[in-house]
């Protein structure tokens, strides 16, 4: 018993020592990497979660992997639209409803109009330069330059976009974009998908979201009504074929956490299954 007590006391002393406590604190606060993120079977994921209060990434998994952006590129379309409209950044009355619908309800028709009007893939080129994004953010393939959803984005660059919006952009720009993302509608305006997956389904408000989806067609469980078929294609570095479902935005008071989760799913995966798998991944 005497020996056992001595051993116990020695262990308790070690555990309560400043160095041991510091090591324990460091381990509990260290960012989780790929080993800490559980990805559902059949899913390829790129994840980046940034805590604006501590200035650190708390989750990263394939953060620099390219994904076709789908509707997440609407963030760049919106920023480019506003870029030279300062200092008051007024949106003409004829554009206001389309602007709101593009950001709140992921209106594809509005995005296509702004994309064509403002130079197509040059929008991406300008925003890569102005926001100091990486070379992994690229315009659509040359033979598909009208397909704005084929713009390549990464989780890491998506965090950069939100950090610009929240910490650098003029207050009016931040209000016009983030204010709409905080009023995200449940149903998409043009293809009628239920877009409250991922962040919107995993976390209580406050949150703001810009979602993306591509490659799902027909009458799918989880849609607001029958959806239109998505166009598919092929590219050397960016998968344009597998169904894609992405959730990006902010979570918490004061937009504390920036969350970007990009996913690809096996060909033939239903929207309902992808919706569920992305929800599980985001909660984890």
């Amino acid at each position: 018993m005497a020996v056992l007590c001595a051993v116990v006391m020695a262990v308790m002393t070690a555990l309560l020592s400043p160095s041991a406590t510091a090591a324990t604190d460091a381990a509990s606060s260290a960012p989780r990497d790929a080993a800490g993120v559980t990805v559902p079977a059949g899913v390829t994921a790129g994840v980046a979660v940034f805590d604006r209060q501590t200035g650190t990434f708390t989750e990263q998994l394939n953060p620099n992997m390219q994904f076709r952006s789908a509707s997440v590129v609407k963030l760049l379309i919106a920023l480019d639209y506003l870029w030279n409209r300062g200092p008051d950044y007024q949106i003409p009355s004829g554009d206001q409803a389309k602007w709101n619908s593009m950001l709140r309800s992921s209106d594809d028709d509005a995005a296509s109009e702004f994309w064509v009007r403002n130079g197509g893939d040059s929008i991406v080129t300008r925003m890569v330069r102005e926001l100091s994004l990486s070379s992994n953010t690229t315009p659509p393939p040359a033979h598909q330059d009208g397909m704005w959803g084929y713009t390549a984005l990464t989780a890491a660059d998506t965090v950069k976009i939100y950090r610009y919006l929240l910490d650098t952009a003029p207050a009016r720009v931040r209000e016009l974009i983030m204010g709409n993302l905080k009023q995200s509608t449940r149903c998409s305006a043009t293809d009628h998908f239920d877009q409250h997956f991922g962040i919107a389904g995993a976390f209580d408000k406050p949150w703001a979201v810009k979602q993306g989806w591509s490659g799902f067609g027909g009458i799918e469980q989880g849609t607001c009504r029958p959806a239109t078929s998505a166009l598919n294609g092929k590219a050397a570095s960016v998968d344009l074929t597998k169904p894609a479902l992405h959730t990006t935005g902010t979570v918490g008071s004061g937009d504390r956490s920036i969350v970007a989760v990009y996913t690809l799913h096996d060909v033939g995966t239903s929207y309902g299954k992808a919706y569920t798998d992305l929800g599980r991944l985001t909660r984890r």
Side-chain angles (χ1 to χ4, degrees):
M1 286 297 294
V3 173
L4 179 59
C5 289
V7 171
V8 172
M9 288 299 296
V11 171
M12 291 298 293
T13 300
L15 288 173
L16 294 174
S17 68
S19 59
T21 302
T24 301
D25 290 345
S28 64
S29 62
R32 294 166 62 193
D33 57 15
V37 180
T38 304
V39 180
V43 177
T44 301
V47 177
V49 181
F50 185 80
D51 185 334
R52 295 176 60 233
Q53 183 168 306
T54 63
T56 59
F57 283 93
T58 58
E59 299 279 3
Q60 293 192 82
L61 172 67
N62 301 324
N64 297 308
M65 181 177 179
Q66 289 180 306
F67 291 82
R68 74 183 187 278
S69 66
S71 288
V72 180
V73 75
K74 291 168 184 172
L75 293 172
L76 297 183
I77 295 173
L79 277 167
D80 184 79
Y81 177 96
L82 292 174
W83 201 261
N84 292 318
R85 293 179 181 269
D88 54 355
Y89 297 98
Q90 291 297 313
I91 296 176
S93 58
D95 285 348
Q96 188 67 66
K98 288 177 284 192
W99 168 272
N100 292 346
S101 186
M102 179 180 73
L103 293 174
R104 296 180 192 182
S105 304
S106 209
D107 189 327
D108 291 344
D109 293 339
S112 294
E113 180 176 333
F114 294 139
W115 176 264
V116 171
R117 188 196 304 175
N118 295 316
D121 57 7
S122 62
I123 292 172
V124 179
T125 302
R126 285 192 294 269
M127 290 300 96
V128 167
R129 180 184 66 245
E130 298 293 351
L131 304 182
S132 299
L133 303 180
S134 77
S135 59
N136 287 325
T137 293
T138 58
H143 62 292
Q144 293 173 318
D145 54 359
M147 300 295 292
W148 41 260
Y150 286 177
T151 297
L153 268 175
T154 68
D157 275 353
T158 304
V159 168
K160 283 186 180 180
I161 294 168
Y162 281 103
R163 290 187 69 186
Y164 171 80
L165 276 169
L166 295 166
D167 301 326
T168 305
R172 180 59 177 159
V173 172
R174 180 163 52 254
E175 175 188 342
L176 286 169
I177 296 179
M178 294 303 299
N180 273 297
L181 301 190
K182 291 177 181 179
Q183 298 180 67
S184 168
T185 63
R186 179 130 203 174
C187 292
S188 162
T190 46
D191 60 11
H192 308 285
F193 275 85
D194 179 345
Q195 64 166 341
H196 277 187
F197 49 77
I199 292 169
F203 300 106
D204 292 332
K205 289 187 175 183
W207 46 251
V209 292
K210 185 69 214 76
Q211 316 281 54
W213 57 95
S214 175
F216 302 96
I219 301 174
E220 296 278 0
Q221 181 180 3
T223 59
C224 300
R225 76 177 206 192
T228 57
S229 297
L231 294 175
N232 291 323
K234 295 181 179 179
S237 58
V238 182
D239 191 308
L240 303 180
T241 302
K242 286 185 175 181
L245 199 64
H246 314 316
T247 184
T248 78
T250 62
V251 178
S253 178
D255 300 298
R256 173 167 174 169
S257 293
I258 299 171
V259 179
V261 184
Y262 284 78
T263 60
L264 292 176
H265 303 258
D266 288 340
V267 172
T269 300
S270 70
Y271 184 69
K273 184 179 187 306
Y275 189 112
T276 299
D277 283 345
L278 178 58
R280 289 172 178 163
L281 175 58
T282 307
R283 284 192 295 274
R284 288 168 178 167

